[in-house]
PDB file of all heavy atoms in Angstrom:
ATOM      1  N   LEU A  96      60.710  60.561   2.398  1.00 90.00           N
ATOM      2  CA  LEU A  96      60.936  59.210   1.896  1.00 90.00           C
ATOM      3  C   LEU A  96      60.913  58.214   3.061  1.00 90.00           C
ATOM      4  O   LEU A  96      60.356  57.130   2.942  1.00 90.00           O
ATOM      5  CB  LEU A  96      62.264  59.135   1.150  1.00 90.00           C
ATOM      6  CG  LEU A  96      62.617  57.779   0.550  1.00 90.00           C
ATOM      7  CD1 LEU A  96      61.555  57.310  -0.445  1.00 90.00           C
ATOM      8  CD2 LEU A  96      63.970  57.837  -0.126  1.00 90.00           C
ATOM      9  N   TYR A  97      61.506  58.618   4.166  1.00 91.00           N
ATOM     10  CA  TYR A  97      61.467  57.765   5.362  1.00 91.00           C
ATOM     11  C   TYR A  97      60.033  57.591   5.862  1.00 91.00           C
ATOM     12  O   TYR A  97      59.658  56.513   6.315  1.00 91.00           O
ATOM     13  CB  TYR A  97      62.349  58.333   6.472  1.00 91.00           C
ATOM     14  CG  TYR A  97      63.828  58.233   6.194  1.00 91.00           C
ATOM     15  CD1 TYR A  97      64.584  59.371   5.929  1.00 91.00           C
ATOM     16  CD2 TYR A  97      64.477  57.007   6.195  1.00 91.00           C
ATOM     17  CE1 TYR A  97      65.945  59.291   5.671  1.00 91.00           C
ATOM     18  CE2 TYR A  97      65.846  56.916   5.939  1.00 91.00           C
ATOM     19  CZ  TYR A  97      66.569  58.057   5.678  1.00 91.00           C
ATOM     20  OH  TYR A  97      67.910  57.973   5.423  1.00 91.00           O
ATOM     21  N   VAL A  98      59.234  58.658   5.798  1.00 93.00           N
ATOM     22  CA  VAL A  98      57.822  58.563   6.200  1.00 93.00           C
ATOM     23  C   VAL A  98      57.121  57.545   5.320  1.00 93.00           C
ATOM     24  O   VAL A  98      56.432  56.640   5.810  1.00 93.00           O
ATOM     25  CB  VAL A  98      57.115  59.936   6.106  1.00 93.00           C
ATOM     26  CG1 VAL A  98      55.610  59.782   6.246  1.00 93.00           C
ATOM     27  CG2 VAL A  98      57.661  60.887   7.158  1.00 93.00           C
ATOM     28  N   LYS A  99      57.295  57.670   4.025  1.00 91.00           N
ATOM     29  CA  LYS A  99      56.664  56.744   3.071  1.00 91.00           C
ATOM     30  C   LYS A  99      57.073  55.301   3.365  1.00 91.00           C
ATOM     31  O   LYS A  99      56.211  54.419   3.490  1.00 91.00           O
ATOM     32  CB  LYS A  99      57.069  57.115   1.646  1.00 91.00           C
ATOM     33  CG  LYS A  99      56.562  56.161   0.593  1.00 91.00           C
ATOM     34  CD  LYS A  99      57.116  56.529  -0.778  1.00 91.00           C
ATOM     35  CE  LYS A  99      56.774  55.492  -1.822  1.00 91.00           C
ATOM     36  NZ  LYS A  99      57.373  55.807  -3.120  1.00 91.00           N
ATOM     37  N   ASN A 100      58.377  55.057   3.472  1.00 91.00           N
ATOM     38  CA  ASN A 100      58.864  53.703   3.717  1.00 91.00           C
ATOM     39  C   ASN A 100      58.399  53.159   5.058  1.00 91.00           C
ATOM     40  O   ASN A 100      58.038  51.989   5.170  1.00 91.00           O
ATOM     41  CB  ASN A 100      60.392  53.660   3.625  1.00 91.00           C
ATOM     42  CG  ASN A 100      60.880  53.874   2.212  1.00 91.00           C
ATOM     43  OD1 ASN A 100      60.153  53.670   1.244  1.00 91.00           O
ATOM     44  ND2 ASN A 100      62.115  54.306   2.084  1.00 91.00           N
ATOM     45  N   SER A 101      58.393  53.997   6.055  1.00 92.00           N
ATOM     46  CA  SER A 101      57.974  53.568   7.384  1.00 92.00           C
ATOM     47  C   SER A 101      56.491  53.198   7.405  1.00 92.00           C
ATOM     48  O   SER A 101      56.099  52.198   8.012  1.00 92.00           O
ATOM     49  CB  SER A 101      58.257  54.654   8.412  1.00 92.00           C
ATOM     50  OG  SER A 101      57.917  54.206   9.692  1.00 92.00           O
ATOM     51  N   LEU A 102      55.672  53.999   6.748  1.00 90.00           N
ATOM     52  CA  LEU A 102      54.235  53.684   6.701  1.00 90.00           C
ATOM     53  C   LEU A 102      53.991  52.360   5.977  1.00 90.00           C
ATOM     54  O   LEU A 102      53.130  51.584   6.368  1.00 90.00           O
ATOM     55  CB  LEU A 102      53.455  54.813   6.030  1.00 90.00           C
ATOM     56  CG  LEU A 102      53.310  56.099   6.849  1.00 90.00           C
ATOM     57  CD1 LEU A 102      52.694  57.197   5.995  1.00 90.00           C
ATOM     58  CD2 LEU A 102      52.512  55.876   8.117  1.00 90.00           C
ATOM     59  N   LEU A 103      54.769  52.110   4.929  1.00 89.00           N
ATOM     60  CA  LEU A 103      54.619  50.865   4.179  1.00 89.00           C
ATOM     61  C   LEU A 103      55.111  49.652   4.968  1.00 89.00           C
ATOM     62  O   LEU A 103      54.435  48.629   5.016  1.00 89.00           O
ATOM     63  CB  LEU A 103      55.377  50.949   2.855  1.00 89.00           C
ATOM     64  CG  LEU A 103      54.799  51.884   1.805  1.00 89.00           C
ATOM     65  CD1 LEU A 103      55.749  52.009   0.621  1.00 89.00           C
ATOM     66  CD2 LEU A 103      53.434  51.411   1.350  1.00 89.00           C
ATOM     67  N   THR A 104      56.275  49.778   5.579  1.00 91.00           N
ATOM     68  CA  THR A 104      56.865  48.614   6.258  1.00 91.00           C
ATOM     69  C   THR A 104      56.251  48.334   7.621  1.00 91.00           C
ATOM     70  O   THR A 104      56.212  47.191   8.050  1.00 91.00           O
ATOM     71  CB  THR A 104      58.394  48.766   6.413  1.00 91.00           C
ATOM     72  OG1 THR A 104      58.668  49.936   7.172  1.00 91.00           O
ATOM     73  CG2 THR A 104      59.075  48.827   5.067  1.00 91.00           C
ATOM     74  N   SER A 105      55.778  49.374   8.292  1.00 88.00           N
ATOM     75  CA  SER A 105      55.195  49.165   9.622  1.00 88.00           C
ATOM     76  C   SER A 105      53.706  48.850   9.542  1.00 88.00           C
ATOM     77  O   SER A 105      53.093  48.523  10.548  1.00 88.00           O
ATOM     78  CB  SER A 105      55.408  50.397  10.495  1.00 88.00           C
ATOM     79  OG  SER A 105      54.725  51.508   9.940  1.00 88.00           O
ATOM     80  N   HIS A 106      53.140  48.962   8.344  1.00 85.00           N
ATOM     81  CA  HIS A 106      51.722  48.681   8.114  1.00 85.00           C
ATOM     82  C   HIS A 106      50.817  49.559   8.965  1.00 85.00           C
ATOM     83  O   HIS A 106      49.764  49.120   9.420  1.00 85.00           O
ATOM     84  CB  HIS A 106      51.399  47.200   8.331  1.00 85.00           C
ATOM     85  CG  HIS A 106      52.222  46.296   7.477  1.00 85.00           C
ATOM     86  ND1 HIS A 106      52.041  46.200   6.122  1.00 85.00           N
ATOM     87  CD2 HIS A 106      53.245  45.468   7.785  1.00 85.00           C
ATOM     88  CE1 HIS A 106      52.909  45.338   5.625  1.00 85.00           C
ATOM     89  NE2 HIS A 106      53.668  44.885   6.609  1.00 85.00           N
ATOM     90  N   LEU A 107      51.238  50.812   9.188  1.00 88.00           N
ATOM     91  CA  LEU A 107      50.391  51.769   9.887  1.00 88.00           C
ATOM     92  C   LEU A 107      49.379  52.321   8.892  1.00 88.00           C
ATOM     93  O   LEU A 107      49.723  52.653   7.763  1.00 88.00           O
ATOM     94  CB  LEU A 107      51.227  52.906  10.478  1.00 88.00           C
ATOM     95  CG  LEU A 107      52.142  52.511  11.613  1.00 88.00           C
ATOM     96  CD1 LEU A 107      53.059  53.671  11.983  1.00 88.00           C
ATOM     97  CD2 LEU A 107      51.346  52.062  12.832  1.00 88.00           C
ATOM     98  N   GLN A 108      48.147  52.397   9.325  1.00 89.00           N
ATOM     99  CA  GLN A 108      47.070  52.810   8.426  1.00 89.00           C
ATOM    100  C   GLN A 108      46.623  54.229   8.740  1.00 89.00           C
ATOM    101  O   GLN A 108      46.351  54.569   9.895  1.00 89.00           O
ATOM    102  CB  GLN A 108      45.896  51.851   8.560  1.00 89.00           C
ATOM    103  CG  GLN A 108      44.770  52.134   7.603  1.00 89.00           C
ATOM    104  CD  GLN A 108      43.641  51.115   7.747  1.00 89.00           C
ATOM    105  OE1 GLN A 108      43.641  50.310   8.656  1.00 89.00           O
ATOM    106  NE2 GLN A 108      42.689  51.181   6.852  1.00 89.00           N
ATOM    107  N   LEU A 109      46.540  55.054   7.701  1.00 92.00           N
ATOM    108  CA  LEU A 109      45.981  56.390   7.819  1.00 92.00           C
ATOM    109  C   LEU A 109      44.496  56.286   7.486  1.00 92.00           C
ATOM    110  O   LEU A 109      44.139  55.940   6.368  1.00 92.00           O
ATOM    111  CB  LEU A 109      46.675  57.362   6.870  1.00 92.00           C
ATOM    112  CG  LEU A 109      48.175  57.548   7.085  1.00 92.00           C
ATOM    113  CD1 LEU A 109      48.767  58.427   6.002  1.00 92.00           C
ATOM    114  CD2 LEU A 109      48.455  58.126   8.450  1.00 92.00           C
ATOM    115  N   THR A 110      43.650  56.569   8.454  1.00 92.00           N
ATOM    116  CA  THR A 110      42.210  56.393   8.266  1.00 92.00           C
ATOM    117  C   THR A 110      41.515  57.665   7.807  1.00 92.00           C
ATOM    118  O   THR A 110      40.379  57.616   7.366  1.00 92.00           O
ATOM    119  CB  THR A 110      41.554  55.908   9.573  1.00 92.00           C
ATOM    120  OG1 THR A 110      41.855  56.842  10.621  1.00 92.00           O
ATOM    121  CG2 THR A 110      42.059  54.530   9.953  1.00 92.00           C
ATOM    122  N   ASN A 111      42.193  58.796   7.911  1.00 94.00           N
ATOM    123  CA  ASN A 111      41.603  60.053   7.484  1.00 94.00           C
ATOM    124  C   ASN A 111      42.035  60.334   6.054  1.00 94.00           C
ATOM    125  O   ASN A 111      43.225  60.517   5.780  1.00 94.00           O
ATOM    126  CB  ASN A 111      42.038  61.191   8.420  1.00 94.00           C
ATOM    127  CG  ASN A 111      41.375  62.487   8.063  1.00 94.00           C
ATOM    128  OD1 ASN A 111      41.622  63.035   6.994  1.00 94.00           O
ATOM    129  ND2 ASN A 111      40.519  62.965   8.944  1.00 94.00           N
ATOM    130  N   ASN A 112      41.087  60.362   5.140  1.00 94.00           N
ATOM    131  CA  ASN A 112      41.392  60.520   3.712  1.00 94.00           C
ATOM    132  C   ASN A 112      42.052  61.850   3.383  1.00 94.00           C
ATOM    133  O   ASN A 112      42.911  61.914   2.513  1.00 94.00           O
ATOM    134  CB  ASN A 112      40.130  60.344   2.869  1.00 94.00           C
ATOM    135  CG  ASN A 112      39.644  58.916   2.881  1.00 94.00           C
ATOM    136  OD1 ASN A 112      40.421  57.984   3.107  1.00 94.00           O
ATOM    137  ND2 ASN A 112      38.358  58.726   2.671  1.00 94.00           N
ATOM    138  N   VAL A 113      41.653  62.918   4.055  1.00 95.00           N
ATOM    139  CA  VAL A 113      42.238  64.237   3.800  1.00 95.00           C
ATOM    140  C   VAL A 113      43.723  64.216   4.135  1.00 95.00           C
ATOM    141  O   VAL A 113      44.557  64.685   3.352  1.00 95.00           O
ATOM    142  CB  VAL A 113      41.509  65.329   4.631  1.00 95.00           C
ATOM    143  CG1 VAL A 113      42.212  66.666   4.514  1.00 95.00           C
ATOM    144  CG2 VAL A 113      40.066  65.437   4.199  1.00 95.00           C
TER     145      VAL A 113
END
Side-chain angles (χ1 to χ4, degrees):
L96 181 59
Y97 289 110
V98 169
K99 176 185 173 183
N100 291 338
S101 183
L102 288 172
L103 290 172
T104 60
S105 63
H106 303 289
L107 292 172
Q108 184 178 9
L109 299 175
T110 56
N111 184 294
N112 291 335
V113 173

